[in-house]
Amino acid sequence: MAVIGVIATLDTKGPEVAFLKEKIEKSGHQALILDSGMLFEPLICPDIPRHEILELGGVEDLEAYRKNGKAALQKAMTEGLKRMLLKLCEEKRIQGVLSLGGGQGSAMSTTAMQALPIGFPKVMVSTIACGSACFGDYVGSRDIVMIPSICDICGLNSITIPIFSAGVGAVTGMVEMRERTSYQTDKPVVGLTMAGVTTECVMRVKEILDRQGFETIVCHCNVVGAIVLDEMAQRGALDGVIDITPHDVGGMEFDGLMKCDENRFASIYKSGIPVMTLPGAVDFMLKKTGSEEVKRLGDRAMYIHTPFHTHIRTSYEEMYRVGKYLTEKHNSCIGPNMMLVPLKGYSQQNREGGLIYDEKANQGYVDAVMENKNPSVICKLTDMHINDPEFAEVIAEEFMKLYHSGANEKEGD
C-alpha cells in the first residue's frame, strides 16, 4: 500500500477530492489530503489542514494575514505546500502526489511539485492544461504530468468522473511501477546536449562513451535540459559535460523560442568537472513558423523545421556574439575544458550544399573563440562537419583526454 498526497482547495472542491480518495482506496492505496484552500471552511476534513501548511509558509494567523492581499497569501501557501511536500517525501510518508485545481490551485500545486525529485510521481488535473497555456511555468524542470480537466472542476459529471479517475490511475500506476523499478549505477555520468539537427553526432558519441563504461544522459537543448544537468553538477552527480548543442544560448542572444538565461551551466563551469563545448545548432535562430518575425527576416536563408518552428540563418556578427559568450564562460571554468569546432558546419543543414550553409557566417564563431579565449581554454579546429561519423570519434577521444587529465589532477591533490 502506497500513500498518495492529494492537494486541493477544499473550500470549493470537497466532493471532487472525496471522489479521488475513494478511487485511491479502491485501488489498494491510501490518500493523504492536504487543504490549500484560503477562503471558506473546508467541505471535507483534511489530513493536513491549511493552517499547518501556512505555518510552514510563515503565516501564523490566516485572518490577520489577509490584509496583505491575495497575492501575498497565495505566495505563502505555495511556500508552505513546497516545504510540506518535501517534508512528507523525505520522511517517506507519501509515495506520490495528485492535485486538481483551476488557475490558482494549479499554480500553487505545481510550483510545490517542482521541489520534488525527478522520478517521484506527480500528477496535476487542471483547467489550465489547454492549448493556450504556457506549460513551462507549471512544470519547470520536473516530470509533472498535466491532465486537462476539459470542463471546470465543479462537480462530478460524465466528463469529470472519467478524467478524475484517469488522474488516480496515472498516479497509482506511476507509484506501483516505481516500486517495481530500481536503477543504480557506479559508472561515471556524462551529460550531452542534443537537437534533432545534431542527433547523428550525439548518438555516435553516446555509443562510444557507453562502450567506454560511462553512463550518458542526453538532454534536449530546450533549456530544461541544461537546467537539469546543472542541478546534477550542483549536487555532485555529474562527472563531465559535452555541450554539443548550446542552441539555447543563441535563443537567449536572438530572442528565439528556446532561450536560456545567464545562469546556464553556472554550477557546471565552477564544478571542476571536464567541460567540452561545440557550436551545434547555434547557426540558426528558432522562430515560430508564419510569425511576423519570420516575415521580417525573409531575406535570410531559412527552412521550416516543423509546422511550428522555422530555422533562420544567423549572420557573422550574430555568430561572433554566441562564440564570445561561450568563450567567456569557458574562461571561468576551474576544471579541464575545451572548445571544439567542426569547420565544415554546425548543424544538419549547415554543410556545403545545405539550406543554411554560410562559410563566412560560420567563421564569426571561430573568430570569437580565437580572439577571446584565455590560455587555460584548449581549442581545437577540425576540418569536418558536426555530423560526420569521424567527428564523433574526435569528440569522444578529446573528451577522454579531458576526463583523465581531471582525474590525474584530483589524484595529485
Side-chain angles (χ1 to χ4, degrees):
M1 178 184 289
V3 179
I4 311 298
V6 179
I7 308 169
T9 53
L10 296 186
D11 49 4
T12 59
K13 296 171 178 61
E16 296 84 356
V17 172
F19 176 82
L20 296 181
K21 177 180 171 69
E22 179 186 358
K23 285 291 184 181
I24 289 171
E25 290 174 349
K26 283 186 176 180
S27 70
H29 301 293
Q30 182 179 341
L32 183 76
I33 311 300
L34 293 82
D35 181 17
S36 58
M38 297 175 287
L39 294 176
F40 318 115
E41 289 300 308
L43 298 173
I44 63 171
C45 184
D47 298 297
I48 300 180
R50 64 186 66 171
H51 72 266
E52 288 187 24
I53 299 171
L54 283 169
E55 283 174 6
L56 292 179
V59 177
E60 298 290 337
D61 187 332
L62 172 58
E63 293 307 317
Y65 198 79
R66 289 189 192 281
K67 69 179 186 302
N68 295 306
K70 179 180 178 181
L73 188 56
Q74 183 175 334
K75 183 178 179 181
M77 177 60 80
T78 302
E79 181 62 24
L81 275 176
K82 181 172 73 173
R83 294 185 180 187
M84 180 62 77
L85 284 185
L86 273 173
K87 183 173 184 288
L88 294 172
C89 177
E90 290 168 357
E91 294 175 357
K92 302 189 185 304
R93 291 171 59 192
I94 59 171
Q95 286 70 52
V97 61
L98 169 66
S99 179
L100 51 79
Q104 180 174 283
S106 297
M108 293 189 301
S109 292
T110 56
T111 301
M113 289 180 192
Q114 289 178 42
L116 297 171
I118 292 171
F120 188 89
K122 323 168 190 67
V123 177
M124 180 77 227
V125 180
S126 172
T127 60
I128 57 84
C130 61
S132 61
C134 179
F135 283 95
D137 295 334
Y138 297 93
V139 301
S141 62
R142 288 297 180 266
D143 52 339
I144 299 172
V145 174
M146 300 283 287
I147 298 179
S149 64
I150 304 301
C151 61
D152 211 336
I153 300 171
C154 186
L156 299 169
N157 54 56
S158 58
I159 292 179
T160 59
I161 286 175
I163 290 175
F164 293 168
S165 300
V168 171
V171 73
T172 56
M174 291 161 69
V175 167
E176 291 168 9
M177 190 55 63
R178 189 171 189 239
E179 288 297 316
R180 299 172 193 161
T181 306
S182 63
Y183 180 77
Q184 292 182 332
T185 180
D186 56 0
K187 297 178 181 179
V189 179
V190 179
L192 300 92
T193 56
M194 184 171 82
V197 293
T198 60
T199 296
E200 295 173 75
C201 171
V202 177
M203 289 184 68
R204 289 190 184 99
V205 173
K206 170 181 166 52
E207 181 183 353
I208 296 169
L209 293 181
D210 287 346
R211 289 201 307 264
Q212 293 285 343
F214 291 90
E215 178 182 57
T216 48
I217 296 180
V218 179
C219 289
H220 193 272
C221 62
N222 59 3
V223 181
V224 172
I227 293 172
V228 170
L229 290 179
D230 204 55
E231 289 175 349
M232 291 180 67
Q234 191 173 40
R235 65 176 191 268
L238 204 58
D239 299 288
V241 173
I242 309 178
D243 194 9
I244 293 174
T245 319
H247 171 75
D248 43 332
V249 171
M252 175 181 64
E253 292 289 331
F254 316 130
D255 194 27
L257 294 180
M258 297 176 183
K259 50 189 168 188
C260 63
D261 60 27
E262 290 283 346
N263 293 317
R264 183 187 189 270
F265 279 13
S267 298
I268 289 172
Y269 293 132
K270 66 181 181 182
S271 67
I273 63 175
V275 180
M276 177 185 288
T277 298
L278 292 86
V282 300
D283 47 3
F284 59 84
M285 56 184 78
L286 186 64
K287 301 291 184 179
K288 185 177 180 180
T289 299
S291 65
E292 289 300 318
E293 287 182 289
V294 171
K295 295 174 184 176
R296 178 174 56 82
L297 298 167
D299 59 335
R300 298 201 187 199
M302 66 177 69
Y303 65 96
I304 295 175
H305 181 61
T306 74
F308 316 107
H309 296 159
T310 294
H311 292 178
I312 303 174
R313 175 68 224 202
T314 45
S315 65
Y316 174 95
E317 292 75 18
E318 289 161 343
M319 292 295 291
Y320 190 97
R321 278 168 56 189
V322 175
K324 185 173 185 291
Y325 179 89
L326 287 169
T327 304
E328 289 174 347
K329 292 298 182 182
H330 267 265
N331 289 341
S332 68
C333 282
I334 66 172
N337 67 97
M338 168 181 277
M339 301 192 75
L340 184 58
V341 185
L343 295 174
K344 288 190 174 178
Y346 311 153
S347 66
Q348 191 175 54
Q349 291 295 337
N350 180 11
R351 63 162 71 241
E352 192 168 353
L355 294 173
I356 60 170
Y357 181 68
D358 186 333
E359 185 176 0
K360 180 182 176 183
N362 290 348
Q363 187 63 33
Y365 182 89
V366 179
D367 291 347
V369 173
M370 301 309 292
E371 292 171 13
N372 292 281
K373 77 177 192 72
N374 287 344
S376 61
V377 180
I378 302 171
C379 179
K380 183 169 184 176
L381 312 180
T382 64
D383 196 28
M384 299 179 185
H385 184 269
I386 196 166
N387 286 331
D388 287 345
E390 300 80 8
F391 185 58
E393 295 176 10
V394 172
I395 294 172
E397 180 181 349
E398 294 297 335
F399 175 77
M400 292 301 296
K401 292 177 184 176
L402 289 180
Y403 180 77
H404 288 304
S405 69
N408 290 337
E409 285 180 13
K410 286 182 181 179
E411 290 177 7
D413 292 342

